[in-house]
Amino acid sequence: FREALRIRILGLGEEHPLVVRLLNNIGCALFEMDDLEESKGIFDEALRLQRLLMREQNGEVKGGRSSSGNGGNSASGVDDEDGANIVSIDPKDAHSMLLSIALTLCNLGSIHLRWGKYDESSVYYEEALLIQESVLGEDH
């Protein structure tokens, strides 16, 4: 696992959706092997990166300045009047990222459920449900 992660980070950089996907896969494998502490750490890192990527997709301007428009990692780049490159995001990419965040939250909820921490588990599950409903609708 670790070598695959190292290679992917070398090729793509840490803040890439495919790195997050691999982190989630590693977290699931560790969960199945009953290594819950390590699994939680991996899922926490995946969630941190997912939220960072989501912020970048929702209005960040490359170079650290915030924009009032949409921003992100895909679609076409446009320069604003200050010359900052604003990258517009496809809404499908944002929905995919949100659903990925919800999945990670469910994984963290499962760890807390296995530990018998029901209140903490329900917080993760409730946040995941809210995200899923916001993307898919309440009747999905």
Side-chain angles (χ1 to χ4, degrees):
F1 297 133
R2 305 272 181 234
E3 183 65 10
L5 180 60
R6 186 186 70 74
I7 291 169
R8 189 157 286 177
I9 289 171
L10 280 174
L12 301 172
E14 181 183 47
E15 297 172 8
H16 192 280
L18 293 176
V19 171
V20 172
R21 182 181 300 167
L22 182 57
L23 283 169
N24 264 311
N25 290 343
I26 292 170
C28 287
L30 292 167
F31 180 85
E32 290 300 321
M33 295 183 327
D34 216 25
D35 189 349
L36 300 181
E37 285 291 336
E38 185 73 16
S39 179
K40 182 185 179 305
I42 295 290
F43 287 135
D44 284 338
E45 177 64 8
L47 186 61
R48 183 190 71 77
L49 290 171
Q50 288 167 318
R51 288 181 168 159
L52 177 68
L53 288 168
M54 195 69 211
R55 280 193 303 273
E56 288 175 1
Q57 288 180 349
N58 282 325
E60 291 295 319
V61 175
K62 289 186 179 183
R65 290 179 292 172
S66 180
S67 80
S68 57
N70 290 339
N73 297 326
S74 63
S76 62
V78 178
D79 288 341
D80 69 4
E81 60 255 6
D82 295 331
N85 187 25
I86 302 171
V87 182
S88 58
I89 182 74
D90 184 340
K92 287 186 273 185
D93 290 342
H95 288 168
S96 177
M97 181 60 71
L98 284 168
L99 292 173
S100 177
I101 290 170
L103 177 63
T104 303
L105 289 166
C106 285
N107 290 335
L108 285 163
S110 295
I111 289 171
H112 286 85
L113 185 65
R114 177 97 43 105
W115 282 334
K117 297 180 178 180
Y118 304 115
D119 290 340
E120 292 176 41
S121 179
S122 68
V123 170
Y124 285 108
Y125 287 137
E126 287 173 14
E127 185 178 353
L129 179 61
L130 287 172
I131 291 170
Q132 290 169 336
E133 286 177 344
S134 73
V135 173
L136 302 172
E138 293 180 16
D139 296 329
H140 185 79

